Amino acid sequence: MELFAEQLLNGVQFGVTLFLMASGLTLVFGIMNFINLAHGSLYMIGAFLGAAVQAATGSFLVGILVAVPATAAIGVALELGLFRRFYSRNHLDQVLVTFGIVLMANEATRLVFGPVPLRMPLPEMLSGSIELLPGLTYPTFRLVVLGVGLAVAGLLWLVVMKTRLGMWVRAGSSNRAIAGAMGVDVGMVFAGLFAFGAALAGLAGLMAGPILAVQVGMGEPILILALVVTVIGGIGSIRGAFVAALMVGLVDTFGRVMLPPALGSMAIFLLMAAILAFKPKGLFPVHG
């Protein structure tokens, strides 16, 4: 029973980490109709910046406070300087340019930080465990990651669905020309949306840094899973991204524990195939 509860928590924690990645990806893809394969590179950059700042200051919190805004700024620079020119282009062009950014980001990171993975130790207050039930202890940091992910999910839903900013975003996604004619600065809204998505990717990298290795190329595997979450949940749907992220996190965790290695690594793709067979547009499609 304790093993099941521990793996359940591991799956939910992994799911909310995936949501931090997939939420930014699904917003950019679903609302801006832009395929951003470089989203995984922002995840990697956030982790490296956080690890470097923590190594220089000795503070994990300072690493977060520096790396998340810095990742958002890098995202804005990419959006304003390059990606904006590709919004009206076809998806193949978008894939090619963002894949080029992935290659450049990996080499730039290797040049700046070196090829050796960086260590990102936990702060002392988060390095222990908490007894949740008799016989069940769980790492404090993983519980913090779980709490942060749930808080971000609630805040994101509130902003997108209940605020004027969210209304502008939805209006710009439905019809940019009409939204612009009504006084909405669609370009500024989209730049802000891209910055927010980049910040979420950087935060996800920081949350994963102490658990996984902070190394060059760490963004590609998580990007694949984030794309799976985006497709399963329904492109552009925050609710769908959250539900799909939890499903993928649980299926991946229990699949690797309960199934043979070859089958366990394929479990999430079998899940995606099964869902799309009945719901081709995902669980909660925004349109249709």
Side-chain angles (χ1 to χ4, degrees):
M1 182 62 185
E2 289 81 6
L3 177 61
F4 175 82
E6 182 178 356
Q7 295 305 320
L8 179 65
L9 287 171
N10 285 338
V12 174
Q13 178 263 312
F14 182 43
V16 297
T17 303
L18 275 178
F19 173 74
L20 291 176
M21 270 289 290
S23 56
L25 189 64
T26 197
L27 282 173
V28 171
F29 190 9
I31 293 176
M32 301 166 67
N33 195 32
F34 182 77
I35 300 178
N36 180 22
L37 297 186
H39 201 68
S41 296
L42 296 171
Y43 168 91
M44 176 187 70
I45 290 170
F48 268 94
L49 290 176
V53 172
Q54 182 185 17
T57 63
S59 172
F60 181 74
L61 179 59
V62 173
I64 293 177
L65 294 177
V66 172
V68 172
T71 307
I74 293 172
V76 170
L78 287 172
E79 198 275 338
L80 294 176
L82 181 61
F83 294 162
R84 180 167 293 191
R85 305 172 189 272
F86 286 82
Y87 288 162
S88 60
R89 305 276 285 273
N90 61 56
H91 285 164
L92 178 58
D93 290 346
Q94 296 170 1
V95 167
L96 291 174
V97 72
T98 53
F99 181 69
I101 295 297
V102 171
L103 299 179
M104 293 174 62
N106 284 344
E107 291 306 313
T109 303
R110 186 177 286 109
L111 286 173
V112 173
F113 296 101
V116 179
L118 298 186
R119 182 171 175 266
M120 199 171 184
L122 287 173
E124 185 176 349
M125 65 181 298
L126 298 179
S127 59
S129 299
I130 296 177
E131 185 174 5
L132 300 177
L133 295 171
L136 175 62
T137 59
Y138 199 70
T140 304
F141 181 73
R142 287 181 178 267
L143 288 174
V144 170
V145 173
L146 179 58
V148 169
L150 293 175
V152 169
L155 178 62
L156 189 57
W157 178 85
L158 189 66
V159 169
V160 172
M161 302 305 298
K162 300 295 183 180
T163 67
R164 183 176 294 273
L165 176 61
M167 180 183 66
W168 291 345
V169 169
R170 297 196 307 275
S173 67
S174 299
N175 194 308
R176 299 185 192 185
I178 293 179
M182 295 179 65
V184 177
D185 189 340
V186 178
M188 186 64 68
V189 170
F190 280 8
L193 186 65
F194 206 96
F196 189 63
L200 289 177
L203 179 61
L206 281 163
M207 294 291 101
I211 301 173
L212 307 173
V214 179
Q215 59 186 345
V216 175
M218 64 184 289
E220 281 74 10
I222 196 74
L223 175 67
I224 294 173
L225 295 179
L227 287 170
V228 170
V229 167
T230 299
V231 172
I232 290 177
I235 295 172
S237 172
I238 296 299
R239 177 179 59 164
F242 182 72
V243 173
L246 291 181
M247 292 175 64
V248 168
L250 290 170
V251 168
D252 183 73
T253 300
F254 280 103
R256 293 179 185 278
V257 171
M258 301 174 63
L259 299 176
L263 188 59
S265 61
M266 295 173 56
I268 58 172
F269 300 104
L270 295 175
L271 171 69
M272 180 175 68
I275 290 175
L276 294 184
F278 295 95
K279 301 274 290 185
K281 294 186 178 181
L283 294 174
F284 303 100
V286 173
H287 304 292

